[in-house]
Amino acid sequence: MKHEHYEEFKTLACNQIEARGWLHHRLETLASGLSGHLDETWEDVGPESAWLGGDGESWERGPYFLDGLVPLAYLTGETRLKLKVEIWIHSVLASSSDNGYFGPSSNTDIWPRLVMMKALVSYAAIHKDNEHGAAVRALLGHFATYMQDQLTKKPLEMWSFARAMEACPSLFSLYDKTKDQALLKLAADLADHSLDWYTFFHDFPIKKPIWEYMPWQEYIDSMDEASQDEYQPTLLERDRSEELFQLYHTSHGVNIAMSFKYLAYRYKLTGDTKYLETLRNGKNKLMEYHGQGNGMYGCDEHLSGREPSQGTELCTVVELLYSLEQIMQITKDLSWSDWFEQVAYNALLTTISADGCSHQYNQQVNQISITVAKRQWYSNHDDSNIFGLEPNFGCCTANMHQGWPKFVQNLWMKDGQGYVCISYAPIQLHDQEVTITVTGGYPFSDTAKIHIHNERQTAFPITLTVPSWATSMDIIMDGRPMHASPKNHQIQLTETWADQTLEIRFGADIRIEETAQGLFVYRGPLLYALPIEAEESILVERGRFSDKEFRPTQAWNYGLLLSKRDEWTFTYQEMTIENRGVSHLPTIKAKGALVQNWGIEHNSAGKVPTGNVQYDDESTEDLVLIPYGLTTLRIAAFPALY
């Protein structure tokens, strides 16, 4: 198998990494907010969870929560969070049976156990040389045997059928430790018994919003009456309608986000580069037909096209980031880092509140109000874009916690004896005698400093990602310019490292992308948006964890004057965005005007006018655009004015 014949990047355990600067602030707000207190606030992951031996929720919510809690606890070093992790791990270990099955007996679905495997692997990496790690690896090995046996007895169904390859990261991690060939066979068999994502990405048949292929009511009507649950109507059996079953899963935003890494694992299992070619083709087709300006794709549950008032689910954001992390690790292809940065620094940053105490289910690129109202979602509910504890479905409440911790953990990876910088956000990593410290405000700054301390004073390579947006990338080591040519989106420096500092200076231009959905403004990895002043109101009172609505208190329907493009300027302003950890704010000052024929449709900003745009050219204004990720209400897809 391919795994035997090639080298890949290796991740560091999360207790080897510390976030710094604004990124440290982001983790701290999560730890003091929902991520650190969800079990005290939300009964689905509270003491009565069936995963803890109670009579409560027994499916995916406990595993999702632990999958984020483990890295967060060890990245922040908070004893309080580590103790919570131990309670969950102890309970899961105690649930293991003689045949390898583990978890609540009240729910035998394999799917949530695949999520729990990821959390267990993360924990085992931290405790790799002690009895805790050994106990976890033993449980995982027994469960792998159980899964192999079950594959011969009954077919995978529903979420397990769509997401069976979610086991692959855990199986390969366990294989690296044990060299048990049965684990590789199980990974291959799971791939063969689950949904054919290769054909989907190769053909990419869903080129329009899903309602043009599968009206939601048609899907509901296709189910038996007992399965028509108004809150989660997803239990259509394959033998009732194979076509609708396939459409449901291949249009589901989270399934697609997860499945990107499945093609990388197919490549890892077989060595066949057709999987990597189709992976790239699938990404390009997905963004061509459903791409949004923030790096995500329209999926208010299912693929919903490119219109900037359609929604994108938070679970999709964090799962896509995890897939991209896995893809770069397996392929060593750093060109994927562009997408990785765009998703994290834009889509992830905006959709969890600045204080870490609430989140949205759906975010909108053009988001002019955050209220309970009927919008043009495909299947989501009226509360889907409010900030709250459990808007729409609780899956995002449970799953949001993995996003930032895993992002931090994968900012740097190991490549043999060397290290690879995926993105330049501030962190510190410790690996035996080597300490690498990154400082600066990237991506809100054009510079980053990397200090390498090596007690052994030995030579090894440092690989630096070269972003595709960079017009230049200057590297200065201890005051001396380094001359290195980029190759395959990277620059590799091999030195005898002792105590050197690399200063990285990026050149960046304001980039304008004009599309049928509107005008987008970028600089570096950041999308820029016009922030809309808002009035906040409490919808459901829960103290720090209340549900909130936001309504605009100013006009929002601005277009940007391309005829005045030469007057646009980029500068840094001392502008404090509460709880964001960023004060020296990059801004773009542009010329704009109110658009007279652009209004509200279905309680969202209407379709961006792209022809016959009406405005008063005598009433132009200076508009200050800020990074999309630092906004709440905003316009980021603008009418173009000439």
Side-chain angles (χ1 to χ4, degrees), residues 259-271:
S259 65
F260 269 99
K261 64 179 168 291
Y262 302 165
L263 297 192
Y265 276 102
R266 284 278 201 176
Y267 163 73
K268 184 170 180 171
L269 285 163
T270 66

Side-chain angles (χ1 to χ4, degrees), residues 109-212:
D109 187 0
I110 194 177
W111 156 240
R113 288 159 177 85
L114 305 186
V115 181
M116 185 59 79
M117 287 173 72
K118 293 192 299 175
L120 294 173
V121 162
S122 182
Y123 179 85
I126 297 162
H127 298 277
K128 58 183 177 181
D129 297 322
N130 62 30
E131 68 276 12
H132 301 291
V136 166
R137 287 190 293 274
L139 179 148
L140 292 171
H142 292 153
F143 184 63
T145 302
Y146 171 84
M147 282 196 289
Q148 187 72 71
D149 178 64
Q150 290 297 300
L151 277 177
T152 66
K153 294 180 177 179
K154 59 181 181 180
L156 297 168
E157 286 291 347
M158 203 55 200
W159 302 110
S160 299
F161 175 72
R163 303 174 178 179
M165 290 190 73
E166 207 66 17
C168 283
S170 305
L171 294 175
F172 275 98
S173 178
L174 188 60
Y175 173 82
D176 287 341
K177 194 75 175 178
T178 67
K179 304 305 178 187
D180 182 356
Q181 292 288 324
L183 297 168
L184 302 186
K185 181 181 186 305
L186 174 58
D189 287 349
L190 286 170
D192 290 341
H193 283 78
S194 60
L195 197 152
D196 182 6
W197 287 106
Y198 170 78
T199 298
F200 170 75
F201 282 119
H202 184 273
D203 298 343
F204 206 87
I206 304 178
K207 297 178 172 64
K208 300 176 182 178
I210 187 60
W211 54 78
E212 298 196 29

Side-chain angles (χ1 to χ4, degrees), residues 310-559:
Q310 292 300 144
T312 295
E313 181 186 344
L314 174 52
C315 276
T316 310
V317 176
V318 298
E319 293 296 351
L320 180 58
L321 282 171
Y322 179 63
S323 286
L324 291 172
E325 291 153 8
Q326 295 286 301
I327 289 167
M328 286 186 283
Q329 179 185 343
I330 292 168
T331 67
K332 301 176 73 169
D333 181 353
L334 296 182
S335 67
W336 290 98
S337 65
D338 285 330
W339 200 14
F340 175 68
E341 287 194 326
Q342 191 180 14
V343 171
Y345 297 141
N346 296 295
L348 180 59
L349 190 57
T350 190
T351 197
I352 300 173
S353 66
D355 63 4
C357 291
S358 61
H359 71 284
Q360 297 175 290
Y361 192 90
N362 285 335
Q363 65 177 284
Q364 297 167 288
V365 169
N366 279 353
Q367 188 164 269
I368 61 168
S369 66
I370 294 173
T371 55
V372 177
K374 184 69 175 176
R375 292 182 171 82
Q376 205 161 358
W377 315 131
Y378 172 61
S379 61
N380 291 160
H381 297 129
D382 296 351
D383 64 342
S384 290
N385 84 335
I386 68 165
F387 277 92
L389 174 66
E390 191 184 3
N392 198 57
F393 297 140
C395 54
C396 292
T397 306
N399 195 21
M400 59 178 261
H401 316 283
Q402 68 165 307
W404 284 116
K406 290 184 181 181
F407 174 82
V408 171
Q409 186 181 359
N410 287 280
L411 284 170
W412 285 71
M413 298 184 187
K414 289 201 70 174
D415 186 14
Q417 297 303 307
Y419 301 86
V420 181
C421 177
I422 306 297
S423 184
Y424 298 85
I427 67 162
Q428 184 174 83
L429 68 87
H430 310 275
D431 185 38
Q432 300 177 46
E433 291 83 10
V434 176
T435 300
I436 298 177
T437 307
V438 184
T439 56
Y442 186 92
F444 308 105
S445 169
D446 296 336
T447 63
K449 288 186 177 180
I450 304 171
H451 181 77
I452 300 103
H453 173 73
N454 177 18
E455 292 182 8
R456 290 190 177 183
Q457 300 188 24
T458 51
F460 54 79
I462 295 284
T463 301
L464 304 174
T465 299
V466 180
S468 63
W469 51 261
T471 57
S472 61
M473 181 172 164
D474 298 328
I475 305 171
I476 298 107
M477 185 168 73
D478 295 334
R480 174 172 58 90
M482 305 285 288
H483 299 287
S485 299
K487 183 180 180 181
N488 297 327
H489 294 271
Q490 60 188 260
I491 291 173
Q492 190 172 93
L493 305 174
T494 300
E495 300 282 333
T496 299
W497 303 100
D499 266 303
Q500 290 100 320
T501 298
L502 300 173
E503 183 176 358
I504 316 296
R505 301 174 183 171
F506 295 102
D509 290 336
I510 298 173
R511 308 187 310 280
I512 295 174
E513 181 180 334
E514 195 167 357
T515 74
Q517 290 73 43
L519 186 76
F520 297 92
V521 180
Y522 299 90
R523 189 178 183 279
L526 302 178
L527 172 66
Y528 280 74
L530 178 67
I532 307 299
E533 293 181 5
E535 178 182 51
E536 175 185 318
S537 60
I538 302 295
L539 186 65
V540 178
E541 175 62 60
R542 297 191 197 90
R544 295 174 62 221
F545 304 112
S546 297
D547 292 356
K548 297 179 181 180
E549 295 182 312
F550 297 83
R551 291 175 171 82
T553 58
Q554 66 172 102
W556 55 266
N557 50 323
Y558 282 91

